[in-house]
Amino acid sequence: MAKILIAAHIDVDPAQREECLKTGKPYIDGALTQEGCLCYSWAADLDNPARIEVFEEWASEEALAAHFKNVHYASMRDHIGKFGLTNAVSAKYRVDAESPVYNAQGEPTPSFD
């Protein structure tokens, strides 16, 4: 079973981004309680005052499918829409290999051995 990663860029009214992030915490916390949710994070992009970066890690396609049917997902979409949503781009990735970034000598390596 392969992990699923989701990366998204969500743009809202810059004047409302901080409030969107703060008041979105219940939806983030709710997602984190779901079976198979390994990571669910929203963060402000420090180079773009409108952008929220979203990163999700799910144990399987089944876990992600359950999330899409969960009240936290629907509530999160509705929540973001209240803050002047101007753009949203997301992609999901199925992980076929995983390896530490740093090798035994503490050096970063791009390989998966």
Side-chain angles (χ1 to χ4, degrees):
M1 199 172 350
K3 282 186 191 178
I4 306 296
L5 303 180
I6 293 180
H9 310 291
I10 299 170
D11 295 340
V12 297
D13 174 4
Q16 298 185 65
R17 181 181 72 178
E18 190 64 29
E19 184 68 17
C20 181
L21 287 166
K22 285 180 184 176
T23 57
K25 187 165 176 11
Y27 311 112
I28 296 165
D29 292 345
L32 288 167
T33 67
Q34 292 178 251
E35 187 173 336
C37 182
L38 305 173
C39 180
Y40 194 94
S41 176
W42 295 5
D45 182 325
L46 300 179
D47 292 322
N48 181 337
R51 181 148 298 162
I52 297 170
E53 300 288 356
V54 177
F55 177 79
E56 303 176 32
E57 184 178 6
W58 295 91
S60 66
E61 288 182 37
E62 293 78 16
L64 181 58
H67 170 63
F68 288 156
K69 294 176 184 172
N70 190 282
V71 66
H72 299 295
Y73 177 76
S75 298
M76 174 272 306
R77 280 190 332 205
D78 294 343
H79 172 77
I80 290 172
K82 296 175 186 175
F83 292 89
L85 178 67
T86 59
N87 188 44
V89 177
S90 61
K92 61 183 180 279
Y93 305 88
R94 188 173 46 233
V95 179
D96 70 337
E98 187 171 344
S99 181
V101 172
Y102 296 93
N103 64 19
Q105 292 75 39
E107 299 172 359
T109 176
S111 65
F112 283 86
D113 24 295

